[in-house]
Amino acid sequence: GMAIAASALAVYALPGQSRFYLFDAETFYMLVARGELSHPNHPLYLPICAGVAQVLGVFGISLFDAMTFASALGSAIFVFAAHRASACLGLDRASAAGAALLCATVPSVVFFATVVEVHGPFLAFAGAALWQAARACRRPNDARLLGLGLATGLAATAHATGHLLPLLAGSVLLAEAPTLR
């Protein structure tokens, strides 16, 4: 899983887009450049970008490239989480790797991994929620259900669509309920 995620990160980071995707990316860029790191709908996005930019700035990487890398990193973490979720749900090693590769190559994942946009970093949080849902399916207990709630709640602070993840997680839990012991 880590090798696939690292490979995805390398692939995503290489072809980064050279232009902004839609106007909101320009707004996010300007906010980070000015140090204004709050946003009502995506509270974690700007601080994540600022943190990545601060680390990569030491190496002379521009803010634009750092924000693009934040998208690549979030998408690669999603790929790793998809692998772990697949393994938790009982897929063998090769099948879990295949699932991770499929997730890594979904056109929308590849696109959002290569642009300055909220969706790239959000994918890391969505992946964590998916992984927690898989863990809760396999052995439901209070700690795992709490982890699932925290993961979906945190995802909602990375992007507003994270508010939909509890519905998705609940659907996964219900679908797996007949197989639970």
Side-chain angles (χ1 to χ4, degrees):
M2 290 182 77
I4 293 168
S7 298
L9 177 61
V11 170
Y12 297 154
L14 291 176
Q17 305 288 330
S18 61
R19 296 191 174 130
F20 288 109
Y21 167 67
L22 298 179
F23 66 90
D24 60 341
E26 293 178 53
T27 302
F28 294 141
Y29 177 87
M30 288 187 291
L31 289 170
V32 174
R34 290 190 299 225
E36 298 174 21
L37 305 180
S38 64
H39 191 280
N41 297 327
H42 320 300
L44 280 182
Y45 177 64
L46 297 177
I48 288 169
C49 288
V52 170
Q54 186 174 18
V55 170
L56 295 181
V58 172
F59 303 102
I61 295 174
S62 71
L63 176 59
F64 181 87
D65 289 338
M67 290 179 73
T68 303
F69 185 80
S71 292
L73 181 60
S75 300
I77 291 169
F78 166 73
V79 169
F80 176 74
H83 178 272
R84 298 311 316 141
S86 298
C88 282
L89 290 173
L91 272 66
D92 62 43
R93 187 178 177 125
S95 297
L101 281 170
L102 286 172
C103 288
T105 57
V106 170
S108 58
V109 171
V110 174
F111 177 75
F112 285 117
T114 62
V115 296
V116 174
E117 185 57 55
V118 181
H119 301 89
F122 166 71
L123 280 170
F125 296 95
L130 173 65
W131 187 3
Q132 290 301 311
R135 292 183 74 228
C137 283
R138 285 298 126 212
R139 272 197 357 229
N141 60 39
D142 290 346
R144 288 183 178 208
L145 293 172
L146 177 63
L148 175 57
L150 291 172
T152 58
L154 195 57
T157 66
H159 189 275
T161 58
H163 291 289
L164 299 174
L165 288 175
L167 297 172
L168 177 62
S171 298
V172 171
L173 289 170
L174 286 173
E176 286 292 312
T179 64
L180 298 176
R181 298 173 197 213

